[in-house]
Amino acid sequence: MPTPVVMPQMGESIAEGTIVRWIKKVGDQVERDEPLFEISTDKVDAEIPSPAAGVLTDIKVREGETVGVNTVVATIGQPGDVAEAAPVKQQPDGQTTPAPTPADKTVTAIKSEQPARSTVEGSSRNGRRRSSPLVRRIAKEHNVDIAQINGSGVGGRVTKHDILGYLERGGLKPASTHAFTPAPTPSPTPTPATRIARPTGADRVEKMSVMRKKIAEHMVLSKQTSAHVYSVFHVNFSQVEKLRQQKKAEYEAIGAKLTYMAFIARVIVEALHHHPTINASIDGENVVYKKDINLGIAVALDDGLIVPVIKNADEKNVLGLSRSIADVADRARAKRLNPDEVHGGTFTITNPGQFGAQFGMPIINQPQVAILGVGTIEKRPVVVDDAVGIRTMAYLTLGYDHRLVDGAVADQFMADVKQRLECFDVNDC
């Protein structure tokens, strides 16, 4: 029996995905769990494994197309199931077109029913436009009436792209092709949406990758959603460095690499237990205090950034965190992450310091309310007991959502993190 291949949901609130590349072609033999195609969403790029062994008999969605989750994109069957070229019939004008197959007739029948069905899909019975939970949440946070937005989805459904474009235009409806709309009054200052970078003859122009576009949308949404504020702390890593040197060989003997990030992650999950507001999220007018601590670790790729999540990170020691961080980072770069490993994060750590940055001002990963940026860790001259000494130091930056997290709460959290790092594994510190 043929096995349908569907677009997976690669994260909470993800409603669609774009097929970037088909790894297999029609007629190719595939094994169960063998990479079949590559997709891109605003959470992750990933290679999707085949749900069954057999032959790829049909590809329904082409490269570059975006479809909703659970949409059938291909079929796995047996060698004899591969569709043959349809016979060609002559048209009155001399042109030739393939004769309709039974599948074509079914599609035609569905299309003939589309106008009536689209009307139902586009609007609910009370006259409001249909939309996803993510779109409704964005609309609620920005006090936007979805009924005022012209949807580009099936039957006029309002998509994420529609509402983000609406917000970028300052809440202005796009011109309708079915009714006259007065031209807006010109603004003396152009908005970001109207500023166009005009390339010259010497410039190279490339289309943005799917991942780059998704990152851009996610970052703009976060800045429009959260009131970003930052606190920067200078932290002494000398004790951590001492422990790293003492235990490095021991960890390497069991196949683990002891990094600063493992110590930072351990301290963060301990501090989150004592500062639950930092591990919360906002849901409309409610605050959701997360029971679990799921740590997102930002991983830089050649063409973007993704954030795999270590679930229940507070249950792991330094060794466990070291292995988990290395594992998700390696599989993220190889595009081998599972769908449940890219959503559900409650707090994120990003490490611009690995490239030499003193510190960064990271954007919050929605729907979280805080993110930690780790600056480069290096030896610096500092004042110790009224004398100048050399210590291993780094700047840690906490970006937080001022809608929920006050400066005092953020600084108390960071002071706790600083104290735990500087006194790691020291009883009388």
Side-chain angles (χ1 to χ4, degrees), residues 66-351:
T66 300
V67 295
V69 298
N70 297 324
T71 299
V72 177
V73 299
T75 304
I76 301 294
Q78 300 305 314
D81 298 333
V82 178
E84 298 180 356
V88 177
K89 66 178 182 179
Q90 190 75 20
Q91 297 296 314
D93 59 1
Q95 296 181 351
T96 58
T97 58
T101 65
D104 293 330
K105 294 177 181 178
T106 303
V107 171
T108 302
I110 292 174
K111 288 183 176 179
S112 67
E113 298 174 2
Q114 189 66 40
R117 187 161 59 98
S118 296
T119 303
V120 177
E121 289 180 346
S123 302
S124 63
R125 294 179 180 177
N126 58 10
R128 294 184 179 179
R129 290 189 182 277
R130 292 286 300 277
S131 58
S132 69
L134 174 61
V135 170
R136 291 195 293 273
R137 178 171 65 80
I138 297 172
K140 185 175 182 180
E141 290 171 349
H142 294 276
N143 196 27
V144 171
D145 183 1
I146 296 179
Q148 300 300 313
I149 303 174
N150 291 337
S152 62
V154 177
R157 188 183 185 93
V158 178
T159 68
K160 181 181 68 174
H161 300 284
D162 296 330
I163 193 167
L164 289 178
Y166 181 84
L167 292 172
E168 289 176 0
R169 293 188 297 272
L172 297 175
K173 291 179 62 177
S176 172
T177 58
H178 303 290
F180 172 76
T181 302
T185 303
S187 172
T189 304
T191 63
T194 61
R195 296 193 183 110
I196 301 176
R198 304 281 185 188
T200 66
D203 295 335
R204 185 178 79 253
V205 179
E206 294 182 356
K207 189 175 181 62
M208 291 179 71
S209 67
V210 174
M211 186 179 201
R212 190 75 262 162
K213 289 190 290 185
K214 298 296 185 181
I215 291 174
E217 292 171 1
H218 193 58
M219 295 299 97
V220 169
L221 172 62
S222 182
K223 293 292 285 186
Q224 292 175 337
T225 300
S226 296
H228 283 68
V229 184
Y230 297 91
S231 290
V232 182
F233 276 60
H234 205 195
V235 179
N236 187 344
F237 276 80
S238 297
Q239 172 63 14
V240 170
E241 173 62 12
K242 177 182 175 182
L243 292 173
R244 281 186 69 240
Q245 296 303 324
Q246 290 176 353
K247 297 179 179 294
K248 182 188 300 184
E250 177 185 337
Y251 274 58
E252 290 177 351
I254 56 177
K257 185 177 180 181
L258 187 56
T259 64
Y260 290 112
M261 186 60 70
F263 288 94
I264 294 170
R266 181 59 202 167
V267 163
I268 287 295
V269 297
E270 291 174 353
L272 288 174
H273 272 301
H274 294 84
H275 304 272
T277 303
I278 308 297
N279 196 54
S281 64
I282 297 175
D283 180 16
E285 297 181 355
N286 299 320
V287 179
V288 181
Y289 294 95
K290 303 293 186 178
K291 174 181 175 293
D292 297 327
I293 295 179
N294 300 329
L295 204 58
I297 304 293
V299 177
L301 306 178
D302 292 337
D303 57 348
L305 182 84
I306 61 175
V307 186
V309 177
I310 300 174
K311 300 294 180 65
N312 303 117
D314 52 322
E315 298 177 0
K316 300 179 183 292
N317 57 17
V318 173
L319 174 59
L321 287 168
S322 178
R323 284 174 165 168
S324 295
I325 292 171
D327 174 55
V328 295
D330 290 344
R331 288 191 292 112
R333 296 186 182 101
K335 299 181 180 179
R336 293 289 192 274
L337 290 172
N338 298 320
D340 62 344
E341 292 177 309
V342 293
H343 69 89
T346 61
F347 185 91
T348 295
I349 302 175
T350 184
N351 183 20

Side-chain angles (χ1 to χ4, degrees), residues 404-420:
L404 176 63
V405 183
D406 291 329
V409 174
D411 291 343
Q412 288 166 6
F413 171 77
M414 286 301 292
D416 191 5
V417 170
K418 174 182 171 73
Q419 192 273 338
R420 291 174 184 274

Side-chain angles (χ1 to χ4, degrees), residues 376-403:
T376 188
I377 301 174
E378 60 186 3
K379 289 186 177 181
R380 299 176 189 148
V382 294
V383 176
V384 181
D385 297 329
D386 293 331
V388 176
I390 304 299
R391 298 290 186 271
T392 302
M393 306 292 296
Y395 291 105
L396 299 184
T397 303
L398 183 73
Y400 55 96
D401 189 342
H402 213 337
R403 295 179 304 162

